[in-house]
């Protein structure tokens, strides 16, 4: 049994597709909401400014549409959080059972088998949390750029300029963090043996190594985050200049533009964590592949019965 992310996704594709479909529906409703609510603000301002403080003749269609989108987003989110646990807990149970069975066949050290079974939970975490976040980011970034282009194409172009620095940051970050993740997992696989020896000094040294490696990974993540935020700040200022100084937008339109810009920025902030999860998963994938491949069968020498 080979455990790779895409093979795992293919094996449990029905359940995973159901979970991801709910993610798509929830996120599409979320990305539509700022544009719809901007219309509600404009309708409210127009009615109040023309008829005074009375809201009796307010056009209720934008408000009704916004409530509908909000309910779709919230209701889908509730259902998804119930369904996700049912799907992914079953997948993890089957993976861990398979690792234990293969470990017995290969006579792998119990400490490594246990550690790898626990590390395999990162597959489930990636599928249950990181994969939906990737889908959400694609929808959020793509939806925000499309929505902003509908207001002014220069705004969407300004947002797209972030792609080049993001790609460069990702290349450097992945190269540096991959080696650190490997060292961390090497150390993690010794957990059982360290505790079995019941040496306080060894336990202290074990957690000391783990702390140093985790801190180095965190430092690279912080640097990645900081550089990205500076780039996003420049884009945010440029977009606000275009929206406020160059175009004559209504109050509701400005609200929608700011909401989409903020969606674009906040979504990009998740990238360092997703990249860290991905590099960790690549190393775990190699370890689980080694531990779950079927052992080679020994070929017995052929024996022939000799006739007297």
């Amino acid at each position: 049994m080979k455990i790779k992310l895409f093979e795992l996704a293919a094996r449990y594709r029905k359940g995973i597709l159901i979970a991801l479909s709910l993610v798509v529906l929830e996120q599409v409703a979320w990305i539509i909401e700022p544009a719809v609510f901007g219309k509600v603000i404009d309708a409210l301002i127009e009615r109040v400014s023309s008829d005074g403080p009375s809201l009796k003749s307010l056009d209720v269609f934008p408000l009704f549409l916004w409530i509908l989108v909000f309910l779709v987003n919230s209701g889908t989110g509730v259902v998804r959080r119930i369904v996700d646990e049912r799907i992914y807990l079953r997948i993890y149970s089957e993976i861990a059972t398979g690792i234990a069975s293969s470990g017995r066949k290969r006579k792998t050290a119990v400490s490594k088998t246990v550690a790898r079974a626990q590390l395999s939970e990162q597959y489930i975490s990636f599928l249950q949390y990181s994969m939906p976040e990737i889908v959400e980011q694609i929808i959020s970034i793509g939806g925000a750029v499309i929505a902003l282009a509908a207001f002014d194409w220069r705004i969407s172009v300004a947002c797209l300029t972030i792609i080049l620095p993001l790609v460069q940051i990702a290349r450097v970050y992945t190269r540096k963090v991959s080696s650190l993740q490997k060292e961390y997992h090497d150390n993690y696989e010794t957990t059982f043996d360290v505790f079995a020896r019941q040496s306080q000094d060894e336990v202290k040294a074990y957690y000391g190594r783990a702390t140093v490696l985790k801190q180095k990974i965190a430092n690279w993540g912080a640097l990645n985050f900081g550089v990205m935020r500076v780039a996003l700040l420049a884009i945010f200022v440029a977009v606000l200049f275009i929206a406020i100084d160059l175009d004559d937008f209504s109050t509701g339109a400005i609200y929608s533009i700011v909401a989409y810009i903020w969606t674009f920025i906040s979504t990009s902030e998740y990238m360092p964590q997703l990249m860290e999860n991905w590099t960790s998963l690549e190393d775990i994938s190699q370890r689980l592949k080694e531990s779950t491949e079927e052992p080679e069968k020994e070929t017995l020498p052929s024996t022939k019965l000799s006739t007297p």
Side-chain angles (χ1 to χ4, degrees), residues 20 61 173 218:
L20 291 181
F61 179 73
Y173 179 84

Side-chain angles (χ1 to χ4, degrees), residues 1-267:
M1 180 181 65
K2 295 181 180 180
I3 298 184
K4 292 182 180 179
L5 183 62
F6 296 111
E7 292 177 359
L8 190 65
R11 188 182 311 147
Y12 299 101
R13 58 184 175 276
K14 183 178 179 181
I16 293 173
L17 281 174
I18 291 173
L20 291 181
S21 296
L22 292 173
V23 172
V24 171
L25 182 59
E26 180 183 2
Q27 196 62 24
V28 167
W30 173 263
I31 204 68
I32 292 174
E33 191 175 340
V36 176
F37 193 70
K39 298 294 184 182
V40 174
I41 293 175
D42 284 341
L44 181 63
I45 291 175
E46 181 181 357
R47 184 55 55 195
V48 171
S49 60
S50 59
D51 296 346
S54 175
L55 302 179
K56 293 181 180 180
S57 58
L58 174 68
D59 183 5
V60 296
F61 179 73
L63 180 62
F64 172 78
L65 188 59
W66 172 71
I67 292 174
L68 179 62
V69 171
F70 183 86
L71 290 177
V72 170
N73 172 260
S74 303
T76 307
V78 171
V79 173
R80 181 169 72 86
R81 284 156 180 77
I82 296 172
V83 172
D84 277 4
E85 288 298 317
R86 185 177 303 173
I87 292 172
Y88 293 113
L89 285 175
R90 180 175 63 86
I91 296 175
Y92 175 58
S93 176
E94 292 184 12
I95 291 174
T97 302
I99 292 172
S101 176
S102 183
R104 286 195 301 270
K105 291 178 182 178
R106 296 176 59 88
K107 296 183 180 179
T108 305
V110 175
S111 59
K112 281 194 173 184
T113 301
V114 172
R116 288 175 178 179
Q118 290 177 333
L119 284 173
S120 70
E121 189 175 5
Q122 289 196 31
Y123 273 96
I124 307 307
S125 296
F126 189 89
L127 288 171
Q128 185 173 359
Y129 302 111
S130 298
M131 187 70 77
E133 284 182 6
I134 291 172
V135 173
E136 289 172 2
Q137 283 194 8
I138 292 172
I139 295 174
S140 294
I141 292 177
V145 169
I146 293 171
L148 289 171
F151 290 102
D152 190 324
W153 64 271
R154 292 170 295 187
I155 298 177
S156 61
V157 170
C159 289
L160 287 174
T161 56
I162 192 64
I163 293 177
L164 187 60
L166 286 183
V167 170
Q168 188 60 33
I169 293 169
R171 290 177 60 186
V172 175
Y173 179 84
T174 301
R175 185 173 65 252
K176 296 293 185 181
V177 172
S178 292
S179 60
L180 293 172
Q181 291 285 9
K182 183 181 184 305
E183 290 183 53
Y184 179 78
H185 293 149
D186 286 340
N187 188 59
Y188 186 83
E189 287 187 349
T190 67
T191 305
F192 183 87
D193 293 332
V194 169
F195 277 86
R197 287 192 286 269
Q198 298 184 351
S199 170
Q200 184 175 351
D201 291 337
E202 286 194 37
V203 171
K204 184 177 180 179
Y206 165 82
Y207 280 108
R209 288 191 298 270
T211 300
V212 169
L213 291 169
K214 273 299 200 181
Q215 185 60 57
K216 288 182 179 179
I217 294 172
N219 290 344
W220 277 104
L223 178 62
N224 189 358
F225 177 82
V227 172
M228 189 181 301
R229 290 289 290 184
V230 171
L232 289 171
L233 175 62
I235 290 173
F236 189 80
V237 172
V239 170
L240 282 181
F241 174 76
I242 295 170
I244 296 174
D245 202 54
L246 300 183
D247 291 309
D248 186 21
F249 288 126
S250 65
T251 304
I254 292 176
Y255 162 82
S256 299
I257 290 170
V258 171
Y260 282 123
I261 296 172
W262 194 251
T263 296
F264 185 87
I265 291 175
S266 60
T267 299

